[in-house]
Amino acid sequence: MALAIATNTGALMAAASATSVNKDMETSMERLSTGKRINSAKDDAAGVAIASRLSSEIRGTNQAIRNAQDGQALINTAEGAHKEIENILQRMRELAVQSSNDTNDGTDRTNLQAEMDQLVEEIDRISSVTTWAGQSLLNGAAAGAGTAQFNFQIGGNTGDGDRILVEIDAMSSKALAVSGAGTPPAFTNDTFSGDASGSVTIDDDAGTITFASTEASGAFASGATFTADINGTTVKITVVDNDSFTDDEAGVAAQFAAEIAKKDELRDISVSAAAGVLTLKIGGGLDIGSTSTTSSRDTAINAIDAAIEKLNTQRANLGAVANRLDNTVSNLTNVAINLEGGKGRIEDADFAAESTSLAKSQILQQASTAMLAQANASKQNVLSLLQG
């Protein structure tokens, strides 16, 4: 081989080796310092994509676990209120049974009715104030009626299996059909015009509206109007005679009752009709007071039994969902652990392997540096030829 200094092949090879070894050493040091085998896409292009998908699943699953636990807390809150309402219903049934005994006189039954009415109000209070994070649980889809629906997201995706639908029926006294003896609404601004042969009379204390005609047929003139404000809501009819309503006393009363039923603001008012007389009550159904009869007291007991059965069915359904969520949380926890393990095998650094690689790189770096120095020193022999 020719003795030359323009091209120091040995030095170039030693420098290239040092560069390569230095790169390997930096990679090992990065992995050891971060604990990750994949620190950028160039480390493992496919692994980056897989690890990203697994991260989405893991984070979604962990959030689903928290969702399920929050769902359990919501159900437990509702179920606790159900339990207290059941205690109230049991006491109400006890009062109804007590009132059915004729050892009680009118005063005794009045006192029993007073407690019954207070218990009914407490059911409504519990139903209206039982909430979870501001959401009403026992008030239903509408005020005091209907069913509230809650979707619990118990998976990280969008399929049907990732959600549980929980329905909680309203537990107000109206929804349970135990609204007490009832009280009349407030009547104001009542006017009747267009029919001199008829009249409309309102009894505020009894809560009745009586439609009366002086005609032998009992008819009102078509086109006559009647308007009244009931609890601040205006209800108005124009007397008609068609397929739906007649223009006699009973038909006009039925027309007015139908108009009341259209008003959402009056949904808590019950209306009963008899021979042209409407009786309006807020609440109604549990009459065990001084004017009650054996039949009305029996009706009260039966109504409370039905309410307790409805309540227990609801509690059983909620308990079943709560138990289901226990299994859901356990399964999701196992899934999250296994997903974490799979992700770790893809992107976590093997400290034993990387430590070995680092030690190897450090030794090779020292060796290549030494050889580079030797290669540079070897060209000094040319000087001896030049010195002569």
Side-chain angles (χ1 to χ4, degrees), residues 191-259:
T191 59
F192 176 67
S193 62
D195 191 351
S197 62
S199 65
V200 180
T201 304
I202 293 179
D203 185 334
D204 295 286
D205 294 331
T208 59
I209 304 175
T210 302
F211 296 86
S213 173
T214 57
E215 298 293 325
S217 62
F220 285 75
S222 294
T225 61
F226 173 59
T227 303
D229 287 351
I230 303 174
N231 278 359
T233 298
T234 301
V235 182
K236 180 180 179 179
I237 61 168
T238 299
V239 175
V240 296
D241 186 3
N242 55 30
D243 293 338
S244 300
F245 302 104
T246 59
D247 59 359
D248 59 7
E249 296 168 347
V252 175
Q255 186 180 348
F256 195 75
E259 199 65 26

Side-chain angles (χ1 to χ4, degrees), residues 157-310:
N157 299 305
T158 59
D160 292 339
D162 294 292
R163 296 185 181 93
I164 292 179
L165 175 64
V166 177
E167 297 184 336
I168 303 179
D169 293 336
M171 288 292 131
S172 65
S173 61
K174 180 179 180 180
L176 292 171
V178 290
S179 300
T183 57
F187 298 96
T188 55
N189 301 324
D190 55 284
T191 59
F192 176 67
S193 62
D195 191 351
S197 62
S199 65
V200 180
T201 304
I202 293 179
D203 185 334
D204 295 286
D205 294 331
T208 59
I209 304 175
T210 302
F211 296 86
S213 173
T214 57
E215 298 293 325
S217 62
F220 285 75
S222 294
T225 61
F226 173 59
T227 303
D229 287 351
I230 303 174
N231 278 359
T233 298
T234 301
V235 182
K236 180 180 179 179
I237 61 168
T238 299
V239 175
V240 296
D241 186 3
N242 55 30
D243 293 338
S244 300
F245 302 104
T246 59
D247 59 359
D248 59 7
E249 296 168 347
V252 175
Q255 186 180 348
F256 195 75
E259 199 65 26
I260 293 173
K262 295 178 182 178
K263 305 292 184 179
D264 289 339
E265 302 90 336
L266 304 179
R267 66 171 69 248
D268 291 332
I269 295 179
S270 60
V271 181
S272 59
V277 179
L278 296 181
T279 301
L280 280 63
K281 286 187 177 182
I282 301 173
L286 300 184
D287 185 7
I288 63 170
S290 58
T291 61
S292 65
T293 63
T294 299
S295 176
S296 68
R297 293 188 288 271
D298 288 347
T299 298
I301 294 173
N302 291 333
I304 295 171
D305 284 342
I308 293 174
E309 182 178 356
K310 178 178 180 179

Side-chain angles (χ1 to χ4, degrees), residues 61-135:
T61 301
N62 287 333
Q63 183 59 56
I65 292 172
R66 293 191 291 272
N67 288 351
Q69 291 170 335
D70 287 343
Q72 282 184 310
L74 184 149
I75 288 173
N76 291 340
T77 301
E79 206 274 333
H82 281 88
K83 176 59 178 175
E84 193 54 41
I85 291 176
E86 185 200 356
N87 292 338
I88 293 173
L89 289 172
Q90 295 290 1
R91 174 57 180 163
M92 289 168 63
R93 190 181 193 282
E94 187 177 15
L95 293 174
V97 172
Q98 182 179 356
S99 179
S100 296
N101 191 13
D102 280 340
T103 58
N104 298 284
D105 59 17
T107 301
D108 296 330
R109 287 184 170 127
T110 297
N111 294 334
L112 293 173
Q113 184 68 59
E115 183 178 352
M116 180 76 81
D117 292 340
Q118 288 296 316
L119 292 174
V120 169
E121 289 187 19
E122 182 60 14
I123 288 177
D124 287 332
R125 190 194 69 80
I126 292 174
S127 176
S128 63
V129 303
T130 301
T131 60
W132 168 260
Q135 299 184 78

Side-chain angles (χ1 to χ4, degrees), residues 305-317:
D305 284 342
I308 293 174
E309 182 178 356
K310 178 178 180 179
L311 182 73
N312 286 336
T313 298
Q314 177 73 86
R315 291 184 67 193
N317 290 336

Side-chain angles (χ1 to χ4, degrees), residues 36-38 44-63 156-157 332 334-348:
K36 300 293 185 181
R37 183 182 70 88
I38 302 175
D44 187 344
V48 166
I50 297 172
S52 179
R53 293 199 301 271
L54 287 174
S55 292
S56 296
E57 289 190 50
I58 291 167
R59 295 182 67 168
T61 301
N62 287 333
Q63 183 59 56
N157 299 305
L332 289 174
N334 289 331
V335 170
I337 291 172
N338 290 320
L339 288 174
E340 288 278 10
K343 180 185 175 186
R345 284 187 290 274
I346 293 173
E347 68 174 10
D348 288 352

